Each structure stands twice: as C-alpha cells, then as structure tokens.
Amino acid sequence: MEFQLKKWSSNYLDDFITATNDPHISENLCEFLPYPMDTAFALEYIKERMLNSEERQICRAVIIDGHAVGGVDVVFGNGVFAKSAELSIWLAAPYRGKGIGANIIKAACEEVFDHYDIIRIEAHPYANHSSAESSLLKAGFIHEGTLHSAIYKNGQIFDYEIFALIKA
C-alpha cells in the first residue's frame, strides 16, 4: 500500500479525529491520546507538530489516498542520550495488519539517519502489543529486553519492551 510521510497540517484535523477516535490507539500508546477524541485536543496535537522546529524531533502524518491515517514521531535524546532517539507510531484501524507499519517505520528511520546526527532509534511498545513488535522486527529493529512493571496508565501497571535500530 502506497503512503507518504508529510508534515502535519491543519487540513488533517478531521482525518486525525476520525483515525484516533479508537480505544485501541489510546490504550496502546505510552503517550496520552484521549478516547473518545475531542476537537480541542486534536487541534493542540496538530498545532504542536506544525510548530515543531525539527531540531529535536520529527513528526509526520502518514498519508494514504490524501488522508492522514496515522502518525509517526521520532524524538531526539538529550545529554548522554544525544545520539539516540525514540520512535512512536500509530495507524487507524482500517490500515493495521496490512504490512505497511514496518515500511512506515523504515521510512521515518531513514529520514532521521539521513538528516540528523542520530545513531540509535528505540521503540518501546507495551509487552502485549504483538503487532507493534512484529512491525519493528520487520523494519530491522532488534529486541533488547523487557522493562517489567514500568508503565502506569489508566490505573494499571504494564511491562514494555525495548527495541532498537542502530545506524549502519
């Protein structure tokens, strides 16, 4: 399936609200996205990404057939982690399980490695999020370990995994 990674635009507001009004996305991201999605949050989310200077992170909308159906952020580390970054990705329900997640991850990582002085990109999916883990492995990431009882969200404790891709 063909996709593009584009900078966020206010033109994607309705797409964002539709795509993220999904409990699966809210439950599986370490980042907080409300469910149900509300317009005020959606506006702020897109505005923050539009105003991003791209000095410390890249934020891209996943565009398929002219619509924003997902997002990928890569946030760069600081201090002793200045050569590392953390990737997060989400996709709207109709686009999951179609084999494009790994390609989106690859494209975002290529952009970061080609344009920034980053040598390591990490991802931290919840331990029970097998589709995220599968996409990361297909994109060339290596599983480095599990952090047990490391996340507290919605009154529950979760394990999360560490996957990493090192610049060749």
Side-chain angles (χ1 to χ4, degrees):
M1 184 171 287
E2 298 276 328
F3 68 89
Q4 296 175 297
L5 297 182
K6 291 188 172 183
K7 292 182 182 180
W8 281 96
S9 159
S10 58
N11 295 336
Y12 301 135
L13 177 63
D14 291 339
D15 292 340
F16 177 82
I17 291 170
T18 300
T20 58
N21 199 25
D22 174 353
H24 179 81
I25 291 174
S26 178
E27 292 166 3
N28 286 293
L29 284 180
C30 291
E31 171 181 8
F32 175 76
L33 286 181
Y35 175 77
M37 179 53 67
D38 67 75
T39 303
F41 183 93
L43 279 167
E44 189 62 28
Y45 182 95
I46 291 173
K47 180 181 167 186
E48 284 178 12
R49 279 148 180 81
M50 288 172 53
L51 295 174
N52 174 32
S53 69
E54 299 201 347
E55 291 177 25
R56 302 297 317 142
Q57 67 182 7
I58 65 162
C59 304
R60 299 288 182 261
V62 177
I63 308 299
I64 296 177
D65 296 329
H67 294 281
V69 300
V72 60
D73 294 350
V74 183
V75 180
F76 309 152
N78 293 307
V80 297
F81 298 105
K83 302 289 184 186
S84 296
E86 181 179 356
L87 173 135
S88 64
I89 179 175
W90 61 268
L91 277 174
Y95 300 93
R96 292 182 212 134
K98 307 225 183 270
I100 63 170
N103 292 329
I104 292 166
I105 292 167
K106 285 179 189 177
C109 291
E110 286 175 15
E111 180 178 349
V112 169
F113 286 148
D114 287 348
H115 299 290
Y116 298 92
D117 191 19
I118 296 293
I119 60 169
R120 174 188 174 88
I121 300 175
E122 293 182 11
H124 306 128
Y126 288 110
N128 62 351
H129 198 337
S130 59
S131 60
E133 294 176 11
S134 176
S135 292
L136 290 164
L137 291 170
K138 288 177 186 173
F141 280 66
I142 295 181
H143 181 254
E144 293 187 333
T146 303
L147 277 83
H148 299 281
S149 300
I151 295 174
Y152 177 73
K153 184 175 178 181
N154 298 331
Q156 295 182 298
I157 303 291
F158 298 93
D159 297 345
Y160 78 87
E161 306 294 340
I162 299 176
F163 287 82
L165 180 67
I166 309 299
K167 185 176 183 177

